[in-house]
Amino acid sequence: MVVVHHLNNSRSQRVLWLLEELGLAYEVRRYQRDAKTMLAPPELRAVHPLGKSPVISDGDVTLAESGAIVEYLASRYGNGTLIPKANTPEHLRYLYWMHFAEGSAMPPLLLKLIFDRIEKTPAPFFVRPIARMIAQRAKQMMVLPNLERQLDYMEGELGRHEWFAGPAFTAADIQMSFPLEAASTRGGLNEGRPKLWAFLKRIHERPAYQRALEKGGKYELLR
Ligand SMILES: N[C@@H](CCC(=O)N[C@@H](CS)C(=O)NCC(=O)O)C(=O)O
């Protein structure tokens, strides 16, 4: 049976969602973030040396990295669903968005989280203005323009098809859900980008998504 090593409020939520879409039986092992640092507990390092979530085990296989996990589960257990046919334009778009999610969409969102925290973290009075200035500059020069450009681009792409790979829902939509949810929490995504907003609404209404929320427990992305 597939075991999901699930960290609260994290990317592993989308693995639970995928498993629900696939209708597969699975076990959830829970790990709690440290309330102060928000880091994963050291027990996760016993499962995988990097100690990040998600990690799954499936028989002899232990696999980390959400994109690899989503591709592995969809191709092994999907019976041809959730992945477009090879050598089609849909498959190429599927591949693109599957990799875009962690490779391009997440880095500016992570940087925003870090710089926002630097701005808010208490520091000695002589350090605070300098730390704030550096954080604000980095956000203004690099992070926010990148975020805006990416959101505009994704909005445009969803104007071409209902889902990221084309007219059909695929595992790439599951992979893309996390950056878009993070963008709606901390990256400025709102009703002003109606296609992306409708995408979030559509996925949140899926019964499998809701079942996964019940399995995973409280899901509030970091801000
Ligand atoms: N690119 C990796 C990122 C894994 C990752 O950073 N996971 C976060 C949860 S969203 C984590 O484990 N954070 C806790 C920590 O770094 O200690 C993936 O997609 O699986």
Side-chain angles (χ1 to χ4, degrees):
M1 186 191 283
V2 173
V3 176
V4 183
H5 298 274
H6 175 65
L7 181 67
N8 63 314
N9 299 330
S10 83
R11 285 162 168 89
S12 49
Q13 186 60 42
R14 68 188 156 183
V15 175
L16 304 184
W17 176 25
L18 170 62
L19 286 161
E20 290 293 335
E21 293 281 353
L22 293 172
L24 216 63
Y26 61 97
E27 181 192 328
V28 182
R29 290 205 193 136
R30 290 165 197 285
Y31 301 80
Q32 288 295 317
R33 288 179 186 271
D34 181 287
K36 221 171 184 182
T37 64
M38 301 315 279
L39 294 176
E43 297 92 274
L44 254 180
R45 271 183 247 143
V47 185
H48 185 279
L50 297 182
K52 305 261 179 202
S53 177
V55 183
I56 60 158
S57 30
D58 185 18
D60 293 341
V61 173
T62 299
L63 190 60
E65 202 55 53
S66 50
I69 294 171
V70 168
E71 289 219 55
Y72 166 81
L73 292 172
S75 60
R76 186 169 164 94
Y77 297 109
N79 293 318
T81 62
L82 299 185
I83 305 181
K85 282 207 172 60
N87 303 319
T88 59
E90 287 78 14
H91 191 265
L92 198 55
R93 285 196 293 266
Y94 163 85
L95 263 188
Y96 177 79
W97 292 109
M98 183 63 78
H99 290 267
F100 182 90
E102 286 296 319
S104 293
M106 280 313 293
L109 287 161
L110 182 61
L111 286 171
K112 171 127 194 321
L113 180 71
I114 292 168
F115 287 125
D116 282 348
R117 289 203 167 190
I118 290 174
E119 272 185 84
K120 285 185 227 149
T121 303
F125 76 94
F126 50 93
V127 175
R128 205 178 309 146
I130 299 170
R132 274 201 192 141
M133 192 189 73
I134 293 172
Q136 281 168 3
R137 277 270 175 89
K139 281 199 293 187
Q140 271 154 18
M141 284 175 63
M142 188 183 62
V143 179
L144 296 176
N146 262 310
L147 264 176
E148 288 293 302
R149 208 172 304 131
Q150 287 193 349
L151 287 172
D152 286 344
Y153 170 56
M154 293 185 277
E155 174 75 13
E157 289 295 300
L158 274 194
R160 299 169 61 201
H161 322 275
E162 189 177 3
W163 300 102
F164 277 101
F169 175 77
T170 70
D173 297 301
I174 297 180
Q175 183 67 356
M176 281 298 294
S177 65
F178 188 80
L180 290 176
E181 286 175 334
S184 76
T185 311
R186 61 172 184 262
L189 172 57
N190 56 28
E191 296 94 327
R193 289 193 174 86
K195 300 286 179 195
L196 293 175
W197 202 247
F199 171 88
L200 285 175
K201 193 161 179 294
R202 259 193 330 275
I203 64 170
H204 293 161
E205 281 166 357
R206 290 180 80 86
Y209 184 98
Q210 289 169 16
R211 287 198 299 277
L213 280 186
E214 278 163 34
K215 291 270 175 66
K218 196 167 142 248
Y219 181 49
E220 262 177 34
L221 295 191
L222 309 187
R223 48 173 88 235

